[in-house]
């Protein structure tokens, strides 16, 4: 099968919009006829009581992309505590099986044109004492997209994230700035140009706060207008 490209979507922090944006990109690319796979290799949090998926993120990624893959492939590791994977593994007294994560990722890459992988937390979120999300990305040999905010404090978080990517020699396609408020403070309005200047990376898109973000078609419409999806697939 013709292989387009895969991306690991990470962020400067938890709650920065990785799922909302990945799901919207997946929805749009599927509409363009791309055979897409989605993955959330490790998820933590309260298990959903309804629906086929324990993780809310996984349910959203699945619904937006309409993939046929099963839960064990989309989300090989789920730990039912709202903490980092390493903390969850300590509390639950188990070791996270990275072998199954890489095996399922390999399967997805072989069976789809493109795979969008959502990270967990940020790049230095621990999976084990000496194994971080950055180690997982490195081992997947996958290009990364970094989701950031535009509020005060984001320059520091973004530069640190990009510096760690450089240290790990993880290629970064660019930044997506989420929750942008064009009527916001100076810091907010300057964020896109300053983040570009200090990281030297392309800004792949600027996404405003979206009222009806829960509806995949609404978020996808915003993403299509604000992110050059052709640049992601070329
Ligand atoms: N542009 C936006 N406009 C409005 N709400 C948004 C936007 N982006 C994200 N959200 C909402 O903000 C919350 C956090 O976003 P999301 O779950 O995508 O973050 P995340 O980075 O995936 O978090 P986690 O680290 O928990 O996986 C969610 O309720 C999400 O739907
Ligand atoms: Mg998420």
């Amino acid at each position: 099968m013709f292989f387009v490209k895969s991306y690991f979507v990470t962020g400067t922090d938890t709650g920065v919009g990785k799922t909302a944006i990945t799901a919207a990109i997946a929805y749009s690319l599927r509409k363009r006829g791309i055979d897409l796979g989605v993955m959330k290799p490790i998820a933590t949090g309260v298990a959903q009581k309804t629906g086929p998926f324990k993780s809310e993120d996984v349910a959203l990624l699945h619904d937006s992309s309409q993939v046929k893959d099963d839960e064990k492939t989309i989300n090989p590791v789920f730990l039912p505590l709202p903490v980092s994977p390493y903390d969850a593994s300590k509390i639950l007294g188990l070791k996270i099986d990275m072998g199954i994560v890489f095996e399922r990722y390999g399967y997805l890459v072989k069976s789809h044109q493109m795979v969008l992988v959502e990270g967990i937390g940020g790049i230095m979120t621990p999976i084990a004492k000496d194994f971080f999300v950055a180690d997982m990305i490195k081992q997947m040999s996958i290009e990364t997209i970094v989701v950031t905010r535009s509020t005060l404090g984001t320059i520091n978080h973004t530069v640190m994230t990009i510096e760690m990517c450089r240290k790990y020699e993880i290629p970064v396609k660019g930044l997506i700035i989420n929750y942008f408020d064009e009527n916001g403070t100076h810091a907010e309005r300057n964020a896109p140009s300053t983040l570009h200047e200090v990281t030297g990376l392309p800004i792949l898109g600027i996404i405003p706060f979206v009222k009806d973000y829960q509806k995949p078609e609404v978020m996808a419409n915003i993403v299509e207008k604000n992110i050059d999806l052709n640049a992601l697939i070329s």
Side-chain angles (χ1 to χ4, degrees):
M1 185 177 290
F2 176 60
F3 183 62
V4 182
K5 189 121 198 174
S6 293
Y7 294 102
F8 191 104
V9 181
T10 187
T12 48
D13 201 355
T14 187
V16 75
K18 297 182 296 292
T19 308
I21 289 174
T22 309
I25 294 175
Y27 184 95
S28 299
L29 292 179
R30 183 177 61 86
K31 256 191 3 201
R32 290 183 180 202
I34 292 180
D35 174 1
L36 194 80
V38 291
M39 189 181 198
K40 172 106 184 172
I42 303 173
T44 59
V46 179
Q48 293 204 115
K49 290 200 175 62
T50 54
F53 300 103
K54 292 187 271 308
S55 154
E56 203 181 331
D57 281 10
V58 173
L60 194 62
L61 293 174
H62 171 268
D63 294 351
S64 308
S65 60
Q66 295 287 310
V67 292
K68 304 272 183 290
D69 300 302
D70 62 8
E71 185 180 36
K72 270 284 164 224
T73 297
I74 306 173
N75 175 220
V77 177
F78 178 82
L79 301 170
L81 286 173
V83 295
S84 78
Y86 178 45
D87 281 303
S89 77
K90 279 198 293 185
I91 296 164
L92 297 169
L94 46 86
K95 192 171 179 295
I96 293 174
D97 179 3
M98 289 310 296
I100 188 73
V101 167
F102 296 127
E103 192 272 320
R104 289 291 83 193
Y105 173 65
Y107 166 81
L108 283 171
V109 166
K110 279 201 205 86
S111 49
H112 294 284
Q113 284 180 298
M114 183 170 185
V115 184
L116 296 177
V117 184
E118 185 195 337
I120 178 159
I123 192 149
M124 294 310 287
T125 295
I127 296 168
K129 190 173 73 176
D130 52 2
F131 193 85
F132 298 86
V133 167
D135 293 289
M136 177 167 67
I137 302 174
K138 178 87 183 159
Q139 216 163 315
M140 286 174 163
S141 301
I142 183 174
E143 199 169 13
T144 296
I145 292 171
V146 176
V147 181
T148 73
R149 305 170 202 267
S150 53
T151 42
L152 196 62
T154 199
I155 301 174
N156 178 46
H157 288 154
T158 309
V159 170
M160 290 195 299
T161 300
I162 300 309
E163 282 305 314
M164 286 314 286
C165 289
R166 292 196 173 126
K167 181 175 172 234
Y168 274 82
E169 299 177 330
I170 293 168
V172 183
K173 178 84 172 169
L175 308 174
I176 294 177
I177 300 171
N178 194 21
Y179 307 112
F180 183 68
D181 178 4
E182 58 185 11
N183 302 312
T185 62
H186 278 302
E188 182 121 32
R189 281 178 283 132
N190 278 344
S193 62
T194 305
L195 288 176
H196 169 62
E197 285 170 39
V198 298
T199 62
L201 288 168
I203 306 298
L204 302 173
I206 302 173
I207 309 294
F209 187 87
V210 181
K211 220 168 126 249
D212 284 327
Y213 72 87
Q214 296 98 331
K215 296 183 189 145
E217 65 279 13
V218 173
M219 194 67 178
N221 197 20
I222 304 277
V223 156
E224 268 165 46
K225 286 201 186 102
N226 295 283
I227 297 179
D228 181 4
L229 294 178
N230 288 327
L232 294 188
I233 51 184
S234 59

